[in-house]
Structures are given as structure tokens and as C-alpha cells.
Amino acid sequence: MRERERLLRNLKKSSDRIESNNRQIRKDSYLCGESPIRENGDTEARLMGAAGSKLEKALGDQFPEGERYFGFENFGNTCYCNSVLQALYFCVPFREQLLEYYTSNKSVADSEENLMTCLADLFSQISSQKKKTGVIAPKRFVQRLKKQNELFRSYMHQDAHEFLNYLLNEVVDILEKEAKATTKPERETSSSSSPEKIANGPKAPLANGVHKEPVVTWVHNIFQGILTNETRCLRCETVTARDETFLDLSLDIEQNSSITSCLKNFSSTETLHAEDKFFCDKCCSLQEAQKRMKIKKPPHILVIHLKRFKYMEQLGRYKKLSYRVVFPLELKLSNTVEPYTDVEYSLFAVVVHVGSGPNHGHYVSLVKSHNHWLFFDDENVEMIEESAVQTFFGSSQEYSSNTDHGYILFYESLGPTTK
């Protein structure tokens, strides 16, 4: 309760547009959403009350046509889930693809429930509301999440980044299984045909006669980028490159730094020597080498995870790093390879961790929608000034009363990421 009230005070100080009475925290609202669980419907929507009407009044004629701003009810420490879901809902390409999936798979969704169908149903519930603002209880989704993964069954404080990773990978797995299920009958019917008559063109079979290509889903098209790990032998100068894919980038952070400097450190050159020597295939021996990691193909949606929780050996436990890390509204990637040099991105969502430690606290999210910034705190949704975003950069001093720190950043590419 204290952290939530302090978070509110900080926001009000940093934004003149937030009126002094714009946010009235209910007496029965506790830190991390210890609100009563609703039993009368999984995604039942209800009005947001005074806060909702103030949001509509603040936007007035500028309220985006067809857009909906709904808070999520908390089912006991599910703020980690609510904050990430809000960021994903306002990730427009992700929302559009999921709603399209829901529309074309309604009958399947009714009979074969999984985490993806529950998420699609939740997004559909929001987008189809008659009211512009309100509160929805994502009960069906949370129940399915807890049923599938025991990690999220307890009422303990969870990690929003772990949840995001699990959710995206689960959606990918579901889409891949469905894609393989639909192409299998086609393979069987065309197995006796000559290669030229296969619908997708001739395939080069592998040694065992089976051709296997990775399934590229719309989640990959939105979030996936490619890293290239280049290692240069210092004896023969041969460069060995190894590619790997990513759905988000986890960056080490330092005090009073920025996302740009964190990305530079991520791609800084490292010398391999002594016990860490590199085995060079050309030299056929262990050699000193230099390696660096660069972005070979940037994703359309760049998700950056700041490593704010670090294990401290001297303490024997994890500690939260409250470092001040500036994340700009417009970001230019410099650690890329041609032809993707200087790709520009725009910030549209931030998942914020509120609290001084890794095992307790609260999560909220900031979202940019139609050029307006909104603050989502479980059931509460408010409009904030763009300048209020910098409140969540972190603390310039180790011991500070400010414990509201940007944790997961969502950037959208302003230009093409496929060349």
C-alpha cells in the first residue's frame, strides 16, 4: 500500500496534467493487488468509476476511435501478468494477429482451450466492449496459466520477464504444432508424387529422405531478431560467425548509464586468452581471439530486458539494482551490421518494477497509444504526460526513496526491418 501511494505521489509531481484528486486508491486495495477475487465470470467487464470518466474527459474528442482502455483485476500478486498483458495488448501487430487468429479459430477455441486461446479471448473481450473504459477480470487466462505452469501457481512475487518469455514461447509452440498438423496430410498425399509436383516446389531431401524446415510464425515475424557472434583468430585473422535468434535482449546495466551505452557494452569486443582460448579450425589449435556480438537482423518489435536483479555472492542472495538507466523515446541501434545500420525505434510500452527487492514489490506499465501516454496499475488507468516517463529511469544514488524502475522496454521499428 505504501509503495503504491508513493508511486502515485511521484507521478503527480512529474506531470502537471494529473490533477491532485485524479487517483483515489480504494481503501480495500493493497500492494500487489490483494483485491477480492471475482467469482462471477472470467472476463466480466465493469465500469472503472470516477477514474474511467476522468480518463474519457481528459481525452475528450481525442479519444481514439475504436480504442479501449481497460484495467485488469488482480487475483492476488498477478500484477506481473497484468502489466505484461497491457504492453502486449498495445503492441498493435501482436494484438491484430491474435484477434485475427481468434476470429478464424472460434470453434477451435471453444473445444481446445490453451493459453493462446485464453489470451485471444481476453483481447477480444477488451476490443469488443461497448464502453471505452472499464475493468476486466482476466480470470480464465490466469487460471489456465496456473494450471499449465506450477511456477505461477503460488501467490509469491513473480518475475514479469520470466512470464513474458514463457508466454511468447508458449504461443510459438502452439502455432508451430498447428502449422505442422495442417501440413502433415499434405505431405502424406504428395509423398508418391515427383518432386516437381509438390505444391511448394521441389525440396532437397536430407540423407534420411525427410526435409525439415523451421516453422516461422507471426510471433517470429514480430519479435524475432538475429544476433551474430563473430570470433576472429588473432593468429590467422580468420573470422568465424555463428548466428542465433532472440525474442528479447537482456542487457547488463551500470549506474548512470543509458540504453545506448548498454547496447554498446553488449557488443563490445572481448579478448579470449589463457584458459579461454578459442579453437581455430584453420589453425587446428587453441589460439587467442577476439569476439563480439552484433545484431545481424533487428526485429520489428525490439524488447529490451534490463537485468535489474543480480546475484551478490557476498550477500548470498539476489539484489535489485536501482541504477539510473536512461531509455529514450526514440532509439537508434548502432550495434547492427549492414544493411541494417542505424535502425530507428520508438518506445511504446514500459513494464515497471516497483519495490526495493527482487522478492517483493509491484508491477505497473506505461503505454503509448495514439500519441497519448497511459499509466496502467491493475484496475486503474490514467493519462500521464510524456515527461512522466523519465520518472522511471531509476535512481542516481544507491540509497534512494525512488524504487520505481523501468524493467522491460518495448520499442517499435520506424522503418523496414526486412531487406
Side-chain angles (χ1 to χ4, degrees), residues 106-121:
K106 276 187 176 180
S107 58
V108 177
D110 292 335
S111 57
E112 300 177 19
E113 179 183 283
N114 55 46
L115 202 60
M116 182 176 173
T117 59
C118 290
L119 182 62
D121 178 65

Side-chain angles (χ1 to χ4, degrees), residues 368-412:
K368 186 177 183 181
S369 172
H370 302 272
N371 296 317
H372 297 290
W373 278 94
L374 300 168
F375 175 73
F376 287 84
D377 180 359
D378 287 334
E379 298 184 3
N380 302 287
V381 185
E382 296 171 11
M383 188 173 172
I384 61 173
E385 286 283 1
E386 184 175 85
S387 59
V389 175
Q390 60 188 296
T391 306
F392 304 95
F393 287 168
S395 311
S396 57
Q397 298 177 346
E398 184 174 356
Y399 299 102
S400 171
S401 59
N402 176 22
T403 63
D404 321 330
H405 310 122
Y407 185 45
I408 310 173
L409 314 174
F410 293 78
Y411 283 92
E412 182 170 18

